[in-house]
Amino acid sequence: MKNLIIASTSTIHGSGYLEYLLEELSVLFKNVNTIIFIPYARPGGISYNDYTQKAGETFAKINKTVKGIHEFDNPQEAIKNAQAIFVGGGNTFVLTNQLYKNNLIETLQTVVKNGTPYLGTSAGSNICGLTIKTTNDMPIVYPSSFNALAFVPFNINPHYLDPDFNSTHMGETRETRIKEFHYYNTPPVIGLREGSWLQVKDSSIILKGTLTARVFEYNKAPYEIKTGTELNHLK
Amino acid sequence: MKNLIIASTSTIHGSGYLEYLLEELSVLFKNVNTIIFIPYARPGGISYNDYTQKAGETFAKINKTVKGIHEFDNPQEAIKNAQAIFVGGGNTFVLTNQLYKNNLIETLQTVVKNGTPYLGTSAGSNICGLTIKTTNDMPIVYPSSFNALAFVPFNINPHYLDPDFNSTHMGETRETRIKEFHYYNTPPVIGLREGSWLQVKDSSIILKGTLTARVFEYNKAPYEIKTGTELNHLK
């Protein structure tokens, strides 16, 4: 019954917030009037209210109402009763920390398994993997665990960035970082470039968007997959 | 009695390992024959032996011997008896995790406070701050704490990178990330560009190298400091 869009980014360069995804979102949220928004990741430290308003303005274009989870006295009940859920981007550590603090991990797992449509972008997509160990974010708070929602049986690296061979900067490339991940962990990692998303329906996981994605499997050379590729086999 | 070099990077573009720092290191390690190397951060997953050999080859140029901490049965005793310590770069989470596992945090704090010369580069510099919450690294393992060695009363961001205004990538700039840190934490952060280092002698902390560094204080606009600036007042 799963029904998710796991997007690399909310915004592609030169386009408005969620604009490139709106058609897809009309389909994902077809039978939905109100979406519960989880603004915990707070990009740039934006307030929950301002962030929720930003999401609301965008979803108004496809005639959906957005309510922030912080507007409810009981966030667990808000999730249990949600018609649909959107988890926005920002800092993955801050987001994960707040999900654990509010005891929302299992609740989210249950409702999404039972069919509540879910949209994640950036940090909200990172948490759809097994762990947040392949986030690009700065660890500005210490969550009680790096374990995430495990909606897919692998890890996500959103905003995947190819190595810049002209760079003189000595910091690690994204590919190097993910390879280091595999010295300590075995799950596959999907490097999702900006503009790509995973569409999850029941046990089907398909790469969408125009770009290829980069797959990192333990003890294997990384490889590219085309849009439309089924990822069900990855584990 | 503190005596440290806290360097942004081990290697600057177009130059060999530690090459740009060797003269400084001759001074830092003036009275030292053997340096204990902590290779735990394992850049690119390199083995402890290979990483130690690499450090050894470089220090041979200034007539120092390098021994890896993993060559000792008791790492705490190795640190207690060390003439000098070098903590190399790699992954800050992996490094911190291993320091906690081997109960080395307090031992390192004690010996460095008592005057054992310390060189840190990259991840080895990150851990000189209050916490590792301003590392750039991927959180590929979950350490038991983000608290670090606190050799200086602020946080370090090594490999500091200025925003690229031509970029079309939607990931956060370094400056945005550090500003987000200050939504949840109050200590100052020093963005150390590659080629810069902090020289710590007792209570004196001085920016060295040719470049400026970027200072982020809580509730203040970020600002640049020139090489030679004393940072003792920062807290």
Side-chain angles (χ1 to χ4, degrees), chain A residues 150-195:
Chain A
F151 293 149
V152 290
F154 44 75
N155 264 30
I156 311 273
N157 180 252
H159 301 280
Y160 183 76
L161 200 57
D162 292 296
D164 174 1
F165 295 107
N166 294 318
S167 174
T168 59
H169 191 257
M170 305 304 287
E172 295 86 356
T173 65
R174 192 68 59 80
E175 177 151 333
T176 300
R177 291 166 192 271
I178 296 173
K179 284 181 179 168
E180 287 181 5
F181 167 83
H182 277 144
Y183 277 89
Y184 301 93
N185 308 272
T186 54
V189 182
I190 313 296
L192 272 184
R193 294 187 178 86
E194 292 180 344

Side-chain angles (χ1 to χ4, degrees), chain B residues 6-7 13 16 19 29 91 102 109 115 119 123 125 127 143 148 160 166 168 179 196 218 226:
Chain B
I6 299 174
H13 185 71
E19 202 176 308
F29 296 138
N91 185 290
N102 289 348
Q109 285 172 327
L119 166 66
S125 292
I127 60 170
Y160 183 76
N166 293 318
T168 59
K179 283 182 180 169
S196 293
Y218 182 66
K226 284 187 194 161

Side-chain angles (χ1 to χ4, degrees), chain B residues 4 12 23 42 57 72 86 95 144 156 165 190 193 209:
Chain B
L4 297 90
I12 55 174
E23 250 187 75
R42 299 183 64 200
E57 283 165 11
F72 294 83
F86 170 31
L95 169 60
S144 60
I156 310 274
F165 295 107
I190 313 297
R193 294 187 179 86

Side-chain angles (χ1 to χ4, degrees), chain B residues 10-12 14-23 25 58 61:
Chain B
S10 61
T11 313
I12 55 174
S15 159
Y17 189 63
L18 292 174
E19 202 176 308
Y20 78 102
L21 266 179
L22 269 186
E23 250 187 75
L25 298 181
T58 294
K61 295 177 193 167

Side-chain angles (χ1 to χ4, degrees), chain A residues 9 11-13 42-45 90-91 93-94 132-146 157 159-161 167-172 174 177-178 180-181 183-185 194, chain B residues 9 11-13 42-45 90-91 93-94 132-146 157 159-161 167-172 174 177-178 180-181 183-185 194:
Chain A
T9 183
T11 313
I12 55 174
H13 184 70
R42 298 183 66 202
N91 185 290
F93 295 89
V94 173
I132 63 165
K133 290 182 180 173
T134 51
T135 176
N136 311 308
D137 294 339
M138 200 172 251
I140 59 180
V141 299
Y142 184 70
S144 59
S145 170
F146 283 172
N157 180 252
H159 301 280
Y160 183 76
L161 200 57
S167 174
T168 59
H169 191 257
M170 305 304 287
E172 295 86 356
R174 192 68 59 80
R177 291 166 192 271
I178 296 173
E180 287 181 5
F181 167 83
Y183 277 89
Y184 301 93
N185 308 272
E194 292 180 344
Chain B
T9 184
T11 313
I12 55 174
H13 185 71
R42 299 183 64 200
N91 185 290
F93 295 89
V94 173
I132 62 164
K133 290 181 179 173
T134 51
T135 176
N136 312 308
D137 294 339
M138 201 171 253
I140 59 179
V141 299
Y142 184 70
S144 60
S145 170
F146 284 171
N157 180 252
H159 301 280
Y160 183 76
L161 200 58
S167 174
T168 59
H169 191 258
M170 304 304 287
E172 295 85 356
R174 192 68 58 80
R177 291 167 191 272
I178 297 172
E180 287 182 4
F181 168 82
Y183 277 90
Y184 302 93
N185 307 272
E194 293 179 344

Side-chain angles (χ1 to χ4, degrees), chain B residues 43 62 65 92 115 137 146 164 218 228:
Chain B
I62 55 169
T65 303
T92 305
D137 294 339
F146 284 171
D164 174 2
Y218 182 66

